[in-house]
Amino acid sequence: MALFGNAHTIDPASAQHDYARLLGHSEQVHAAFLLIRDTILFTDRRLILIDKQGITGKKVEYHSVPYRSITHFAVETAGTFDLDAELKIWISGTPTPIEKTFTKGVDIYEVQAILTQFVAR
């Protein structure tokens, strides 16, 4: 699926409904992205990384990252031969970044702007 660029944005209201069990009281989803099988939610409080695992995708890992724990992040845009863009997020106390790959269906500059909005508070 990655070859076809199936990454795309998700309507925040739809993500709010679909992932309501993950959200705290009055927590709001501001942006959401589907990356092949994984999902990234930007809420007003934290970044939620949803990682479907295994062949069937029934096993799911939910990774919650408070914005205050993000020390820095980087984006790498897609190139001529490398069609995927990447987001790297460093968490305090962790030497290796969390890495997510975005296919051409998502504007990596939009992802970077949303992350900046929450991390730079």
Side-chain angles (χ1 to χ4, degrees):
M1 287 176 56
L3 297 175
F4 302 111
N6 287 337
H8 62 274
T9 59
I10 302 171
D11 175 55
S14 176
Q16 182 83 30
H17 177 266
D18 292 347
Y19 296 104
R21 293 176 45 189
L22 296 176
L23 304 174
H25 178 68
S26 73
E27 185 174 13
Q28 295 294 311
V29 174
H30 287 270
F33 298 91
L34 179 65
L35 312 174
I36 302 157
R37 287 176 35 160
D38 298 343
T39 304
I40 298 178
L41 304 177
F42 291 89
T43 77
D44 55 344
R45 300 179 190 169
R46 60 195 165 130
L47 178 65
I48 302 173
L49 306 168
I50 302 164
D51 181 15
K52 291 188 177 180
Q53 301 175 351
I55 295 171
T56 62
K58 289 186 178 185
K59 182 177 179 181
V60 182
E61 179 180 47
Y62 301 96
H63 194 110
S64 179
V65 181
Y67 294 120
R68 69 181 176 278
S69 68
I70 297 174
T71 58
H72 69 284
F73 60 91
V75 294
E76 181 179 301
T77 61
T80 303
F81 298 107
D82 180 11
L83 301 177
D84 297 334
E86 293 182 3
L87 171 66
K88 296 178 184 177
I89 301 171
W90 284 265
I91 308 299
S92 63
T94 307
T96 56
I98 295 170
E99 296 184 36
K100 291 295 178 182
T101 301
F102 292 78
T103 56
K104 64 182 178 180
V106 174
D107 180 1
I108 194 68
Y109 294 107
E110 178 185 356
V111 175
Q112 186 269 335
I114 293 166
L115 192 52
T116 298
Q117 174 186 349
F118 291 112
V119 172
R121 286 184 180 182

